């Protein structure tokens, strides 16, 4: 099929490619970087201030009981696992390789910058997803950009914008995107083991249907199991290759840093690599791999069971960190340290060659196994995102039909690449950023207000409940007065201030000590041990005067009945 225009015929595929090139080449990069900068400064570099909190919330209870997921939502970790399942896909193997092949090693530096900015964007997405999540009559929790788009724009404009986003994400991820993922699995396993593509496609489709029909509970269980395993497998396999070429690591970082600003100065640099290409390919790969600002992962973060939207915002940032600063970085270092970037290969073939330099034939098997993990987990995540939008457009009754169509796409996608379908998936994926980005900018004030509410109200009022806000002295972050003015920049500063004064008069230090007493258990540990632990935790200079004040406050915590 083609379009006749000005004396030549433009195929539909050419038109789709042209539109996508314009979007990914400049429009979306400018938009997503701009939004990242907006939230980075508006929220006071939340990706730095909130990183420790996000890390603790993500990995603090990794080996403890997560809690059962159901129609009422899932745990914060399960929501993150579902998001990472979608974020970490075949692009983590092929995408970084393409960025290096075209933009040179310097593209990786710009990938870091885009991911850093993306952490603030995904924080805003998760917070708004939590803020506008919906509970149906049967108790099913759902959420995503369609709901906060409607919240940002009332009336017809909001309805139309939300509907456009819903249609785009259903086709881009649920149908066409999952066909692409299936094809990646089938192709890699056919190469490594000689398994017929259609056989692999049917197998993946059947397993996928089993997961889909189990609803949110089964999806959460599968992703929280698969994601840690696949991440560990890839990390270990990559580190073995990197440390086998340990002498090349300093040179690799040199090439990344120098190549970010002077691509031509890097020996063996990509043919024709320029600063523009390095920036463009690095930023694009960082943004489109971690999906920050694209409106996909908010569907998972919306259903997390948290006490305040900001808590899930912290966790969401860790997803970007794992996707880009861990997985994509490892792929890049494997390629650069093995010297594979000068082979002329690109995409998954370049990654496969890099691993084969150490593993030989097992390199193909390693990539095939990783492709299965990465692509299958992405199929689950993208299905879940599409399902939320099916519910929005057509109601719960349409979910079963949607799941069957997705499985058909998965089976058929394994057969061969259909160029038009593949390119349309990329184009729709890019286009769905636009309505999401418009809504985020419109809601930036609400994001800031919700952020401030966490620190000024929730964080303040919940000190007396262990594990919440200031009640847990292990949580970092600034503390504000009731009028919103900054009181202490961090828990450590607050503790130092109090130790210097040597009195328990400071209200905040008094409250921290009370919660700390609850945490360590004054009926179990001697008071001096509690105070010494508190002193060590915040690196406060230990003095008899401060200890006296601490004794007084811990005793007051017991006297005031805080254990009750």
């Amino acid at each position: 099929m083609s379009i006749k225009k000005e004396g030549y015929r433009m195929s539909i595929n050419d038109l789709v490619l042209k539109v996508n090139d314009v979007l990914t080449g400049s429009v979306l990069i400018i938009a997503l970087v701009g939004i990242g900068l907006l939230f980075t400064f508006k929220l006071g570099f939340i990706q730095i201030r909130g990183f420790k909190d996000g890390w603790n919330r993500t990995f603090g209870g990794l080996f403890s009981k997560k809690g059962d997921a159901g129609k009422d939502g899932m745990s914060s970790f399960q929501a993150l696992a579902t998001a990472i399942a979608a974020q970490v896909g075949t692009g983590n193997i092929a995408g970084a390789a393409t960025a290096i092949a075209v933009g040179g090693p310097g593209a990786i530096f710009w990938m870091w910058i885009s991911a850093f900015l993306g952490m603030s964007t995904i924080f805003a997405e998760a917070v708004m997803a939590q803020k506008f999540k919906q509970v149906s009559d049967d108790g099913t929790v759902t959420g995503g950009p369609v709901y906060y788009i409607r919240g940002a724009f009332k009336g017809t404009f909001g309805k139309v914008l939300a509907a456009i986003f819903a249609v785009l994400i259903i086709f881009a991820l649920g149908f066409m995107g999952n066909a692409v993922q299936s094809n990646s699995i089938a192709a890699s396993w056919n190469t490594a083991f000689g398994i017929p593509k259609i056989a692999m496609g049917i197998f993946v489709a059947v397993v996928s249907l089993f997961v889909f029909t189990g609803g949110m509970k089964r999806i959460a269980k599968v992703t929280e199991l698969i994601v840690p395993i696949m991440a560990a497998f890839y990390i270990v396999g990559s580190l073995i290759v990197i440390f086998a070429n340990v002498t090349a690591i300093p040179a690799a970082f040199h090439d990344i840093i120098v190549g970010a600003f002077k691509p031509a100065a890097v020996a063996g640099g990509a043919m024709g690599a320029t600063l523009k290409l390095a920036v463009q390919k690095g930023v694009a790969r960082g943004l489109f791999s971690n999906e920050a600002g694209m409106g996909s992962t908010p569907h998972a973060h919306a259903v997390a069971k948290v006490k305040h939207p900001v808590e899930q915002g912290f966790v969401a940032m860790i997803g970007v960190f794992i996707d880009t600063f861990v997985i994509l970085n490892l792929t890049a270092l494997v390629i650069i340290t093995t010297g594979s970037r000068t082979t002329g290969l690109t995409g998954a073939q370049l990654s496969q060659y890099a691993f084969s330099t150490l593993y030989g034939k097992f390199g193909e098997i390693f990539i095939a196994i990783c492709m299965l993990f990465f692509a299958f987990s992405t199929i689950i995540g993208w299905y879940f995102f599409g399902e939320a939008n099916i519910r929005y457009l057509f109601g719960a009754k349409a979910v079963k039909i949607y799941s069957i169509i997705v499985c058909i796409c998965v089976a058929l996608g394994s057969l061969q690449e259909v160029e038009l379908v593949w390119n349309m998936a990329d184009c729709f994926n890019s286009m769905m950023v636009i309505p999401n980005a418009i809504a985020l900018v419109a809601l930036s004030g609400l994001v800031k207000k919700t952020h401030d509410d966490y620190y000024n109200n929730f964080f303040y009022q919940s000190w007396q409940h262990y594990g919440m806000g200031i009640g847990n002295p292990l949580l970092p972050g600034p503390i504000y007065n009731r009028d919103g003015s900054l009181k202490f920049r961090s828990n450590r500063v607050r503790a130092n201030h109090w130790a210097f004064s040597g009195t328990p008069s400071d209200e905040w230090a008094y409250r921290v000590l009370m919660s700390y007493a609850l945490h360590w258990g004054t009926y179990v540990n001697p008071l001096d041990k509690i105070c010494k632990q508190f002193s060590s935790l915040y690196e406060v200079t230990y003095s008899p005067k401060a200890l006296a004040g601490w004794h007084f406050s811990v005793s007051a915590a017991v006297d005031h009945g805080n254990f009750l």
Side-chain angles (χ1 to χ4, degrees):
M1 186 175 181
S2 61
I3 298 174
K4 191 172 183 180
K5 184 179 179 181
E6 298 178 4
Y8 70 92
R9 299 178 70 84
M10 176 184 289
S11 68
I12 295 295
N13 187 55
D14 291 338
L15 179 62
V16 171
L17 281 174
K18 188 72 174 177
V19 172
N20 197 43
D21 286 344
V22 172
L23 289 174
T24 59
S26 56
V27 176
L28 296 186
I29 291 178
I30 294 172
L32 290 175
V33 169
I35 292 173
L37 287 169
L38 170 67
F39 286 113
T40 294
F41 289 105
K42 199 175 189 70
L43 301 176
F45 287 84
I46 190 65
Q47 58 268 69
I48 297 176
R49 292 191 298 106
F51 184 82
K52 184 179 179 182
D53 201 343
W55 185 270
N56 290 339
R57 289 181 182 279
T58 301
F59 299 106
L62 183 61
F63 299 105
S64 62
K65 182 177 176 59
K66 312 291 191 311
D68 291 331
K71 62 183 182 180
D72 62 331
M74 59 179 73
S75 71
S76 186
F77 177 80
Q78 290 169 331
L80 177 64
T82 303
I84 293 177
Q87 289 169 302
V88 179
T90 56
N92 290 78
I93 295 176
T98 300
I100 293 171
V102 179
I108 303 305
F109 176 85
W110 298 109
M111 183 179 74
W112 296 342
I113 299 299
S114 68
F116 177 78
L117 297 176
M119 289 173 73
S120 68
T121 303
I122 209 165
F123 173 89
E125 287 183 299
V127 168
M128 289 298 94
Q130 277 283 326
K131 193 78 174 176
F132 289 95
K133 65 181 177 182
Q134 305 290 309
V135 182
S136 63
D137 294 336
D138 66 351
T140 300
V141 176
T142 188
V146 289
Y147 299 104
Y148 61 70
I149 289 173
R150 291 286 300 273
F153 304 105
K154 308 297 182 183
T156 303
F157 180 72
K159 292 180 180 179
V160 172
L161 200 63
I164 290 173
F165 176 87
V167 171
L168 288 173
I169 195 171
I170 289 169
F171 279 92
L173 303 187
F175 297 153
M176 292 181 287
N178 279 335
V180 174
Q181 297 297 323
S182 174
N183 185 269
S184 298
I185 296 174
S188 62
W189 279 66
N190 178 262
T191 300
F193 304 106
I195 299 175
K197 292 183 178 180
I198 185 60
M200 200 65 197
I202 292 175
F203 171 75
V204 173
V206 170
V207 176
S208 298
L209 184 61
F210 171 75
V211 177
F212 299 161
T213 54
M216 190 185 302
K217 182 175 183 178
R218 190 172 295 164
I219 289 173
K221 286 294 183 184
V222 171
T223 55
E224 75 171 341
L225 175 65
I226 287 181
V227 167
I229 293 175
M230 76 177 190
F233 183 76
Y234 190 75
I235 289 170
V236 171
S238 299
L239 288 176
I240 291 174
V241 176
I242 293 169
F243 284 113
N245 299 278
V246 66
T247 56
I249 294 178
F253 280 100
H254 170 272
D255 289 352
I256 290 172
I257 302 300
V258 173
F261 304 96
K262 297 180 180 179
V266 177
M271 184 66 67
T274 63
L275 179 59
K276 180 182 177 181
L277 273 176
V279 175
Q280 185 185 76
K281 295 303 177 182
V283 171
R285 175 41 44 201
L287 292 173
F288 296 122
S289 173
N290 57 57
E291 302 185 18
M294 299 185 72
S296 53
T297 59
H299 299 92
H301 296 302
V303 298
K305 299 174 184 177
V306 292
K307 296 181 176 68
H308 193 283
V310 167
E311 293 178 333
Q312 192 60 24
F314 290 144
V315 173
M317 294 192 298
I318 302 302
V320 173
F321 178 82
I322 292 173
D323 174 87
T324 305
F325 289 104
V326 178
I327 305 298
L328 269 174
N329 258 355
L330 288 173
T331 303
L333 288 174
V334 165
I335 292 170
I336 298 173
T337 57
T338 57
S340 302
R341 60 191 174 88
T342 59
T343 59
L345 298 173
T346 188
Q349 288 182 322
L350 176 54
S351 298
Q352 194 169 26
Y353 176 85
F355 280 101
S356 68
T357 59
L358 179 67
Y359 295 136
K361 177 64 177 176
F362 180 73
E364 293 182 357
I365 298 175
F366 178 80
I367 291 295
I369 295 172
C370 290
M371 282 287 191
L372 177 62
F373 274 124
F374 288 7
F376 179 67
S377 66
T378 299
I379 288 171
I380 295 173
W382 283 359
Y383 164 85
F384 181 72
F385 301 161
E387 180 190 301
N389 291 275
I390 287 290
R391 288 179 181 274
Y392 171 76
L393 291 175
F394 308 109
K397 293 182 179 180
V399 171
K400 289 184 179 180
I401 297 174
Y402 166 71
S403 63
I404 293 172
I405 295 176
V406 170
C407 289
I408 292 173
C409 291
V410 168
L412 295 179
S414 66
L415 292 174
Q416 62 180 6
E417 292 188 18
V418 181
E419 188 177 9
L420 177 59
V421 175
W422 266 226
N423 292 332
M424 285 182 68
D426 288 340
C427 188
F428 283 12
N429 203 25
S430 300
M431 290 172 66
M432 73 189 216
V433 175
I434 298 173
N436 184 59
I438 293 172
L440 287 176
V441 172
L443 292 168
S444 60
L446 182 58
V447 174
K448 179 65 164 63
K449 183 178 179 180
T450 307
H451 163 275
D452 292 347
D453 174 73
Y454 175 77
Y455 286 108
N456 294 351
N457 297 314
F458 178 83
F459 203 61
Y460 178 91
Q461 294 171 357
S462 60
W463 61 268
Q464 56 191 313
H465 302 291
Y466 169 65
M468 297 170 59
I470 197 169
N472 185 347
L474 299 179
L475 300 182
I479 297 301
Y480 299 87
N481 292 310
R482 285 284 189 162
D483 62 1
S485 61
L486 185 67
K487 190 171 183 70
F488 295 110
R489 293 187 182 279
S490 69
N491 283 330
R492 180 181 174 185
V493 173
R494 182 169 59 253
N496 275 320
H497 170 86
W498 187 41
F500 177 77
S501 68
T503 71
S505 59
D506 187 275
E507 177 186 15
W508 287 104
Y510 170 73
R511 292 182 175 185
V512 169
L513 246 298
M514 285 196 292
S515 65
Y516 201 73
L518 295 175
H519 176 61
W520 289 103
T522 54
Y523 288 110
V524 178
N525 296 324
L527 292 183
D528 62 336
K529 183 176 181 180
I530 295 172
C531 295
K532 287 177 181 178
Q533 289 168 329
F534 182 73
S535 173
S536 175
L537 177 66
Y538 295 110
E539 301 176 24
V540 179
T541 302
Y542 191 68
S543 69
K545 187 177 182 182
L547 177 59
W550 295 344
H551 268 290
F552 180 84
S553 283
V554 174
S555 300
V558 180
D559 293 340
H560 288 182
N562 283 280
F563 282 98
L564 301 178

